[in-house]
Amino acid sequence: MNKQFEILQQSRKLILKSIENLTIDQLNKIPEGFNNNIVWNVAHLVVTQQLLCYKLSELECLISNDMIERFQKGTFPKNPILEDEFLEIKKLFLELPKRLEEDYKKQMFKKYFTYKTSVNITLNSIEDGIAFNAYHEGIHLGIILQLLKFI
């Protein structure tokens, strides 16, 4: 599992590095042909990791219900994100993978609801959730890189 946590942390550092020179307006821009923006994708990754790992394990998510409602699967940006909110999202984006690793090592994930993903993969354990999350993060890294081409 150590490799899974390393992949998650490195992936998130790569995403932040690829967007570090963008303004908040650029991060909020929804290019023609897209239905979301870079800031939504970053926040969506925070939310999805929490849902796949904590919620499906019957543990309390480490983010607000408001954040979940705004950035979970099936949502779209409604209003631009302000600079201070994006700073908080970035903080969670970097800190929550470390917390996940700590909680996993403490063996906090005792239960796991079976969940069939939108790509027809059934998750049966926290290990499945963590592995699938890495796949999901890769998809959104690709989307972010596409969005960068149009900003």
Side-chain angles (χ1 to χ4, degrees), residues 71-118:
F71 301 108
Q72 67 187 333
K73 179 174 78 173
T75 64
F76 305 96
K78 291 186 176 130
N79 299 307
I81 301 297
L82 302 175
E83 186 77 38
D84 342 348
E85 186 177 7
F86 188 59
L87 290 174
E88 183 59 31
I89 291 168
K90 285 195 309 188
K91 181 179 174 191
L92 291 168
F93 192 68
L94 287 175
E95 289 177 359
L96 290 178
K98 295 172 193 164
R99 176 70 183 272
L100 173 63
E101 183 175 10
E102 291 167 8
D103 290 346
Y104 181 82
K105 287 179 178 175
K106 290 179 194 170
Q107 300 181 339
M108 288 180 57
F109 301 95
K110 300 195 184 307
K111 297 180 185 177
Y112 198 84
F113 283 110
T114 297
Y115 176 72
K116 191 171 198 172
T117 69
S118 57

Side-chain angles (χ1 to χ4, degrees), residues 8 21 25 34 52 57 63 76 79-80 86 117 120 133-134 147:
L8 177 57
N21 295 320
D25 289 336
F34 289 85
L52 287 172
S57 295
I63 57 174
F76 305 96
N79 299 307
F86 188 59
T117 69
N120 207 27
N133 187 65
L147 286 164

Side-chain angles (χ1 to χ4, degrees), residues 5-54:
F5 294 120
E6 180 186 347
I7 290 168
L8 177 57
Q9 289 174 2
Q10 292 305 319
S11 169
R12 290 197 172 187
K13 287 177 187 174
L14 175 63
I15 288 170
L16 290 181
K17 184 162 180 53
S18 71
I19 64 172
E20 69 186 352
N21 295 320
L22 299 180
T23 67
I24 194 68
D25 289 336
Q26 290 171 312
L27 292 167
N28 277 294
K29 182 178 180 181
I30 302 175
E32 190 174 326
F34 289 85
N35 60 10
N36 57 44
N37 54 33
I38 291 171
V39 73
W40 181 90
N41 277 274
V42 172
H44 173 71
L45 291 175
V46 171
V47 167
T48 301
Q49 181 254 321
Q50 288 291 295
L51 296 176
L52 287 172
C53 297
Y54 287 84

Side-chain angles (χ1 to χ4, degrees), residues 44 52 73-74 115-123 132 135-136 139-140:
H44 173 71
L52 287 172
K73 179 174 78 173
Y115 176 72
K116 191 171 198 172
T117 69
S118 57
V119 293
N120 207 27
I121 296 171
T122 301
L123 309 178
F132 184 79
Y135 163 80
H136 178 259
I139 290 171
H140 284 275

